[in-house]
Amino acid sequence: MSAIKNKLLDTFAAWQDQRTIWILGGVIALSLDIFSYAFFQKGLKLDPCEMCVYIRFSMIVIFIGAMIAAINPRVWVLKIIGYVTVIWAIVKGFLWSVHLEKMFWQSQALAAGADPFAVGVESCSLFPTFPFHLPLDQWMPDVFQPQGICGIDPWRFLGWNMAEMMFVVYAAFAVLVLLMLAGFIVRLLKSFGKK
């Protein structure tokens, strides 16, 4: 069993040294952002809410972190910057998705006639505060200016709303990145053990 585990970790360690996996991850993140803009916002006329634009931002940050690591994944500085950036974006995006899901269930409870004081009602801002004080809503208002209402989500895929689908996306990114990171750490520890 430990031979299988070592073989898997060696495989993930080899992956994280290759540009292809970093570029693929970054392109997937960017593609999901482009799809959300083109299909949901422009095609279905579903305006993004505050949490939605934060989630878009996190996917852009995943793309940036992956591209930094892809410059040369064998250079530790670039790889570590890539890992830190991607993991930060995954965590932030997941937390924003959780917040959006909470607002969705609050809106559902209110629509069913629940007492607003018992449910607890949160609202979105039309003036987002992006991390690092980036004025993305001013630089690219069509993409990053919230115009929708948080918690209002008529779209479904396999019975899941957008926030729930993002849980799956972030979980997939997290599993892959953490396995690659584990392979990197194991390889690093083995190299120190040989010295």
Side-chain angles (χ1 to χ4, degrees), residues 31-101:
S31 297
L32 288 170
D33 252 6
I34 292 169
F35 177 78
S36 76
Y37 175 77
F39 181 72
F40 294 116
Q41 185 173 338
K42 293 301 179 184
L44 297 179
K45 306 293 184 209
L46 298 175
D47 289 329
C49 67
E50 180 185 18
M51 292 299 120
C52 297
V53 297
Y54 293 156
I55 291 167
R56 281 184 181 176
F57 170 72
S58 75
M59 297 304 279
I60 296 292
V61 174
I62 290 171
F63 169 75
I64 292 169
M67 292 304 108
I68 290 170
I71 292 168
N72 187 347
R74 294 186 183 275
V75 174
W76 283 28
V77 172
L78 295 174
K79 188 184 312 191
I80 290 170
I81 290 170
Y83 271 125
V84 168
T85 304
V86 168
I87 291 169
W88 178 87
I90 290 169
V91 170
K92 290 297 283 187
F94 184 82
L95 293 174
W96 285 323
S97 296
V98 168
H99 196 87
L100 181 58
E101 180 70 1

Side-chain angles (χ1 to χ4, degrees), residues 6 21-22 28 36 50 85 118 140 145 155 167 184 187:
N6 286 339
I21 194 74
W22 290 101
I28 289 170
S36 76
E50 180 185 18
T85 304
M140 298 178 70
Q145 177 63 50
W155 179 84
F167 294 157
F184 173 63
R187 179 190 288 165

